[in-house]
Amino acid sequence: MADFKVLISQEEIETRIKEIANQIDQDYQGKKVTLICILKGAFIFLTDLVRNINKNDIIIEFMAVSSYGNEKRSSGKIKIIKDVDRDLTDEHIIIVEDIVDTGLTIDFLIKYFNNKGVASVKTCSLLDKAVCRKIDVPVDYSGFTIEDRFVIGYGLDLAQEYRNLPYVAEIKED
Ligand code: IMP
């Protein structure tokens, strides 16, 4: 059992998600948009986010990528485990991530979808470890900026565990 403490409470997450959802409603008024949930980490964020978006012309897709294995640091090699199974040509898309750390995953995904001929790509992440960037990437909708610390809960894991915590917790490094 890892030692951890709550960093961002359930209430804080709920409030921030409502704000992001309102922003997406405003920004995509009259436009269809596809939200791409990056599995596994973003699954809880995505479900809470879409339930707070009022417009109904949103499409939800799932994609699974891996860069960490069971480590706490990104390997930098992004592997597509499951691709989106629909043609996204000319669609407006928002990539929904749990956390942007080095930026390598989101950078890979932005390029990947641009190559597929989408109309526009925006990025949305619950958490942003801005100080850990190895590559400059845009985070268009960002929930919370956090320091360089390993976090778990609300979808985020440590070796696949702790995803079900209803808050974000800081884990003590070994
Ligand atoms: P990046 O490619 O380094 O930006 O890493 C992005 C991915 O690394 C995220 O989607 C997470 O799956 C994982 N990740 C980065 N930091 C953490 C963390 O603190 N806790 C859990 N997973 C993390």
Side-chain angles (χ1 to χ4, degrees), residues 26-37:
Q26 275 179 36
D27 293 352
Y28 289 88
Q29 244 175 33
K31 271 191 218 162
K32 206 180 254 193
V33 62
T34 301
L35 279 81
I36 302 173
C37 174

Side-chain angles (χ1 to χ4, degrees), residues 38-42 65-68 71-76 78 97-107 125 127 129 132-135 137 146-153 155-158 163 169 171 173:
I38 306 302
L39 298 171
K40 298 174 189 173
V65 299
S66 126
S67 67
Y68 271 46
E71 303 304 317
K72 284 190 197 164
R73 282 280 162 251
S74 173
S75 68
I78 320 303
E97 263 280 27
D98 52 355
I99 186 164
V100 180
D101 182 7
T102 61
L104 294 171
T105 306
I106 214 92
D107 180 63
S125 184
L127 304 171
K129 272 196 221 176
C132 297
R133 277 311 186 283
K134 287 192 178 154
I135 186 160
V137 287
I146 62 166
E147 296 303 315
D148 180 12
R149 46 187 70 150
F150 198 82
V151 289
I152 50 168
L156 291 108
D157 73 305
L158 173 62
R163 292 192 197 275
I171 199 153
E173 297 286 346

Side-chain angles (χ1 to χ4, degrees), residues 52-69:
N52 283 283
I53 293 177
N54 289 318
K55 66 199 259 80
N56 297 124
D57 51 353
I58 60 167
I59 298 172
I60 297 160
E61 296 291 345
F62 295 90
M63 180 166 185
V65 299
S66 126
S67 67
Y68 271 46

